[in-house]
C-alpha cells in the first residue's frame, strides 16, 4: 500500500511507531498532488516548502522524545476562505486574488500548534456561494470518480483532495451544505459541527449566522480526530460555544444499540434519484438489524428551508461583502473618482453569482421589504428549529439522503441558479437550525458514482453522529470506498 492511500489514523500510527517520517508522508502526498492535480485541479495554491518545513520540525521533535498530538506530521489541505498568515487566501475571487492575510484563522493556529503540514489551499465557489466549484473565478475542480462531473461545492477542492489521495484530511466550510454536499459527491465523510463549536475567527465571512468550519475525511475516526483538533471556545469569535470539547475519538465504538433513528418522511421525494432513496432505506434497515430503534419522522417545514436560506444567506452576504470596496482589501479597479472606484472595483472583482446574492440580499434588507422578506425568513428559520426540537423528543438521530442525486455533469446546472440551489436541499435545514450534521457514504450508484446519506443530531451531538458514522464504516470493514484513478505520464488519466 502506498503511503498516500492510508487514512489519517493509520498514518498517525505509522508515525508514532517511527515506521515512517513526517517528511516521507508529506512528500508522498506532494508527489500524488504532482501526478493528479493537473487533471483534477483541487488546489488554488500549493505550499510544499511550508509543508516540508513543518514535517521536518515534527520529525525532530519526535526524535527528541517530545509528546506529540496524534495528528502531528499528518498533512492537511485547507479551503481557500480560511486565513493563513502570509499565504495567499483568495476565496476563489478576483477581488481577493492577491490577498495575503496578516494573521492565521484560529483553526489554522490550532493545526500549526499540532504540527500538521499544510499542503495547500483548495479551490471553492467564489465566497463559498455555490454547489459545484464552477463559481470559482479561477477554474472548476473535477470529481475524481468522473472528471467530467463536478465534485460538489462550495468546498469542492477540499473534497477532491481527500477523495483522490492528495491529502489525508481537509477543512471545508459549511454555510448551507458546503462540506456535506461535496463529501456526498466524492464518497467521503463530511461533518458540519454545531454552530459555534468551531471558531469562525479568520474564516472569511459569507453568512455569519450560518458559517461553520468542518472536516472532510475518509473515515469517521479521521473526522473525529480532526474535529477534536479544531473545536473549542475562542474568545475571538463572539458566537463561539463556551463548552468543553469531549474526546470525540474515545467512544467511537459505542455502537447504535438502542439509539432511536428517524427517517425524514418529507425527504423521500419523487424528485430524488430512486437509487439514492433505496440506498438510504438499506442503511436504515441495517442499522435496525444491529439494534437501532427506527421509525419515520416528519419535518413539515422542510420545503420552506431553501426559500428562507436564500433570503437569509444573501442578506448577510450583502452586508459582509460591503467591505470589498477597493480601499481596504485586495483588488482596486482603474477609476477617475471615488464612486467609480467603488462600482468598478465591485463590478470587475465579483463574479455573477456573488453579484446576484448581493442584489437579492440588499433588496431583502431594504426599507419596505425587510418585514416581507428578511423578517419572514427569520420567522421560518425559528419554526424550522422548533420542528427539529420536536423531532428530537422522539429520536436521537435523524436520517435522510445527503444529496438528491449523485454528482452532476460540469455545465449541467451552471446556467440555472435554481437547479443549482436545489442540489443542497437536503443540507439547508440543519444549517438553519444550527445543529450538527454528517454526510456519510451510502454505497455506489449504478453509474459508478458515490451516493451519500446524512445524519443529524441535537446541538453538541457530534459524538453520537461520529459513533453512528463509525458503525457504518465498520460495516465496510473500515475500508473507505475510493475512486479508481489510473495515473499516466504527466498526470493524465
Ligand atoms: N450551496 C449553498 C449556497 O450556495 C451553500 C454554500 C455553503 O454552504 N457555503 O449558498
Amino acid at each position: 500500500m502506498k503511503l498516500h492511500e492510508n487514512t489519517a489514523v493509520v498514518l498517525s500510527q505509522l508515525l508514532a511507531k517511527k515506521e515512517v517520517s513526517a517528511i516521507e508522508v508529506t512528500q508522498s502526498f506532494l508527489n500524488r498532488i504532482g501526478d493528479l492535480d493537473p487533471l483534477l485541479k483541487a488546489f488554488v495554491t500549493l505550499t510544499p516548502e511550508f509543508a516540508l518545513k513543518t514535517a521536518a520540525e515534527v520529525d525532530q521533535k519526535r526524535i527528541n522524545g517530545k509528546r506529540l498530538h496524534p495528528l502531528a506530521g499528518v498533512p492537511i489541505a485547507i479551503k481557500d476562505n480560511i486565513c493563513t498568515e502570509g499565504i495567499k487566501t483568495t476565496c476563489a475571487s478576483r477581488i481577493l486574488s492577491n490577498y495575503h492575510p496578516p494573521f492565521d484563522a484560529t483553526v489554522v493556529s490550532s493545526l500549526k500548534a499540532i504540527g500538521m503540514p499544510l499542503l495547500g489551499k483548495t479551490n471553492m465557489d467564489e465566497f463559498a456561494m455555490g454547489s459545484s466549484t464552477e463559481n470559482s473565478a479561477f477554474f472548476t475542480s473535477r470529481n475524481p470518480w468522473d472528471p467530467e462531473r463536478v465534485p460538489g461545492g462550495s468546498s469542492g477542492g477540499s473534497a477532491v483532495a481527500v477523495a483522490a489521495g492528495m491529502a489525508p484530511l481537509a477543512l471545508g466550510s459549511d454555510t448551507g451544505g458546503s462540506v456535506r454536499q461535496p463529501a456526498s459527491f466524492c464518497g467521503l465523510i463530511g461533518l458540519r459541527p454545531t454552530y459555534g463549536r468551531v471558531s469562525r475567527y479568520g474564516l472569511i465571512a459569507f453568512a455569519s449566522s450560518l458559517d461553520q468550519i468542518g472536516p472532510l475525511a475518509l473515515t469517521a475516526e479521521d473526522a473525529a480526530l480532526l474535529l477534536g483538533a479544531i473545536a473549542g471556545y475562542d474568545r475571538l469569535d463572539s458566537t463561539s460555544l463556551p463548552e468543553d470539547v469531549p474526546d470525540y475519538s474515545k467512544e467511537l465504538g459505542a455502537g447504535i444499540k438502542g439509539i432511536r433513528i428517524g427517517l425524514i418522511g418529507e425527504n423521500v421525494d419523487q424528485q430524488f434519484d430512486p437509487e439514492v432513496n433505496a440506498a438510504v432505506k438499506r442503511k436504515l434497515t441495517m442499522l435496525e438489524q444491529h439494534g437501532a430503534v427506527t421509525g419515520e419522522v416528519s419535518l413539515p417545514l422542510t420545503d420552506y428551508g431553501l426559500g428562507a436560506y436564500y433570503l437569509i444567506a444573501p442578506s448577510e452576504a450583502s452586508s459582509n461583502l460591503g467591505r470589498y470596496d477597493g480601499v481596504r482589501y485586495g483588488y482596486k479597479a482603474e477609476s477617475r473618482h471615488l464612486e467609480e472606484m467603488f462600482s468598478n472595483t465591485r463590478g470587475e472583482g465579483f463574479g455573477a453569482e456573488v453579484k446576484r446574492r448581493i442584489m437579492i440580499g440588499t433588496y431583502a434588507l431594504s426599507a419596505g421589504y425587510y418585514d416581507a422578506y428578511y423578517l419572514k425568513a427569520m420567522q421560518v428559520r425559528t419554526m424550522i428549529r422548533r420542528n427539529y426540537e420536536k423531532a428530537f423528543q422522539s429520536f436521537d438521530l435523524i436520517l435522510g439522503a445527503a444529496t438528491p442525486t449523485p454528482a452532476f455533469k460540469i455545465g449541467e446546472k451552471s446556467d440555472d441558479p435554481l437547479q443549482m440551489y436545489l442540489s443542497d436541499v437536503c443540507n439547508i435545514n440543519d444549517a438553519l437550525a444550527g445543529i450538527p450534521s454528517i454526510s456519510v457514504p451510502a454505497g455506489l450508484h449504478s453509474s459508478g458514482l458515490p451516493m451519500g446519506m446524512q445524519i443529524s443530531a441535537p446541538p453538541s451531538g457530534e459524538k453520537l453522529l461520529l459513533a453512528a458514522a463509525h458503525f457504518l464504516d465498520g460495516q465496510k470493514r473500515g475500508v473507505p470506498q475510493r475512486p479508481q484513478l489510473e495515473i499516466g505520464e504527466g498526470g493524465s488519466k
Side-chain angles (χ1 to χ4, degrees):
M1 198 163 177
K2 306 223 175 68
L3 267 184
H4 71 254
E5 291 169 9
N6 289 295
T7 64
V9 164
V10 172
L11 290 171
S12 156
Q13 289 160 353
L14 294 172
L15 284 161
K17 286 188 269 174
K18 298 201 182 96
E19 285 180 27
V20 289
S21 69
I23 293 259
E24 285 169 314
V25 170
T26 304
Q27 192 58 57
S28 105
F29 284 99
L30 290 172
N31 293 346
R32 180 77 171 168
I33 291 170
D35 284 338
L36 282 179
D37 205 48
L39 168 73
L40 299 174
K41 299 183 170 164
F43 290 90
V44 173
T45 303
L46 287 168
T47 50
E49 293 89 15
F50 185 61
L52 289 168
K53 184 168 162 275
T54 307
E57 285 164 8
V58 168
D59 284 338
Q60 194 53 51
K61 282 189 188 150
R62 208 180 296 276
I63 290 166
N64 295 344
K66 286 243 163 65
R67 250 182 90 93
L68 295 172
H69 187 279
L71 287 173
V74 177
I76 188 160
I78 296 185
K79 185 174 181 180
D80 211 20
N81 59 350
I82 299 176
C83 286
T84 39
E85 186 183 342
I87 298 170
K88 214 166 58 169
T89 300
T90 68
C91 252
S93 179
R94 266 196 87 191
I95 217 153
L96 285 177
S97 56
N98 205 20
Y99 175 55
H100 291 72
F103 67 105
D104 278 326
T106 296
V107 293
V108 173
S109 306
S110 306
L111 303 184
K112 277 188 178 172
I114 288 170
M116 293 183 76
L118 170 61
L119 297 165
K121 305 293 295 290
T122 57
N123 194 33
M124 53 185 280
D125 289 291
E126 184 177 5
F127 280 99
M129 299 175 189
S131 315
S132 67
T133 76
E134 289 166 295
N135 294 339
S136 165
F138 310 133
F139 45 78
T140 299
S141 302
R142 290 171 177 272
N143 192 316
W145 292 82
D146 175 358
E148 299 305 312
R149 290 179 187 265
V150 302
S154 62
S155 314
S158 286
V160 175
V162 177
M166 295 193 280
L169 287 170
L171 287 183
S173 68
D174 190 311
T175 303
S178 280
V179 163
R180 292 162 289 153
Q181 187 256 22
S184 169
F185 280 7
C186 292
L188 300 173
I189 301 261
L191 173 64
R192 175 191 167 87
T194 308
Y195 183 76
R197 183 67 294 190
V198 176
S199 170
R200 287 185 297 112
Y201 180 73
L203 168 66
I204 296 178
F206 161 12
S208 308
S209 77
L210 294 154
D211 299 340
Q212 264 301 282
I213 295 173
L216 285 135
L218 292 165
T219 63
E221 263 185 328
D222 285 7
L225 260 185
L226 183 53
L227 179 65
I230 58 171
Y233 174 70
D234 181 9
R235 63 179 182 79
L236 298 175
D237 171 1
S238 61
T239 57
S240 178
L241 273 180
E243 277 177 22
D244 289 342
V245 180
D247 182 346
Y248 295 112
S249 303
K250 208 167 161 202
E251 285 139 34
L252 267 183
I256 41 90
K257 229 191 186 93
I259 304 289
R260 299 166 303 164
I261 304 179
L263 176 70
I264 307 173
E266 288 80 359
N267 250 6
V268 185
D269 188 291
Q270 62 278 34
Q271 281 164 21
F272 285 25
D273 186 310
E275 287 190 49
V276 170
N277 285 338
V280 171
K281 284 248 169 76
R282 265 200 306 280
K283 293 278 178 202
L284 189 74
T285 309
M286 191 180 75
L287 289 162
E288 192 179 63
Q289 283 163 354
H290 285 85
V293 182
T294 66
E296 197 174 292
V297 61
S298 173
L299 291 171
L301 290 169
T302 295
D303 284 352
Y304 295 94
L306 203 73
Y309 172 86
Y310 277 99
L311 285 168
I312 295 167
S315 296
E316 294 186 17
S318 81
S319 156
N320 274 326
L321 272 57
R323 71 191 71 169
Y324 305 103
D325 53 11
V327 179
R328 285 168 288 189
Y329 291 94
Y331 181 72
K332 182 197 211 106
E334 293 282 322
S335 43
R336 288 164 302 174
H337 52 79
L338 196 63
E339 202 184 317
E340 198 177 88
M341 182 185 76
F342 293 150
S343 71
N344 287 1
T345 296
R346 292 168 70 82
E348 293 165 25
F350 290 135
E353 182 61 27
V354 175
K355 287 180 192 158
R356 178 180 297 121
R357 307 264 180 130
I358 292 173
M359 286 188 279
I360 294 173
T362 308
Y363 185 80
L365 291 176
S366 57
Y369 295 103
Y370 181 92
D371 288 1
Y373 292 110
Y374 185 73
L375 201 65
K376 229 345 143 253
M378 289 302 279
Q379 286 164 343
V380 171
R381 181 178 192 176
T382 303
M383 288 166 78
I384 287 175
R385 203 179 52 237
R386 295 213 176 112
N387 267 194
Y388 277 105
E389 282 164 5
K390 186 153 176 275
F392 284 127
Q393 286 170 4
S394 317
F395 292 99
D396 302 306
L397 295 173
I398 291 176
L399 187 138
T403 49
T405 65
F408 48 89
K409 288 232 163 80
I410 293 174
E412 193 178 317
K413 296 183 199 267
S414 47
D415 294 331
D416 188 343
L418 196 59
Q419 281 307 314
M420 192 65 94
Y421 297 171
L422 279 165
S423 83
D424 18 49
V425 65
C426 306
N427 318 121
I428 297 277
N429 290 298
D430 315 77
L432 288 169
I435 60 174
S437 178
I438 195 167
S439 167
V440 298
L444 293 185
H445 191 262
S446 56
S447 58
L449 298 166
M451 300 181 285
M453 180 171 81
Q454 180 174 271
I455 316 174
S456 313
S460 299
E462 285 86 353
K463 262 191 112 151
L464 196 52
L465 283 185
L466 287 160
H470 182 66
F471 169 81
L472 293 166
D473 278 349
Q475 299 304 304
K476 294 178 284 169
R477 289 188 216 84
V479 184
Q481 52 184 10
R482 305 298 293 262
Q484 296 293 318
L485 279 160
E486 288 149 35
I487 308 162
E489 276 311 294
S492 58
K493 197 184 159 193

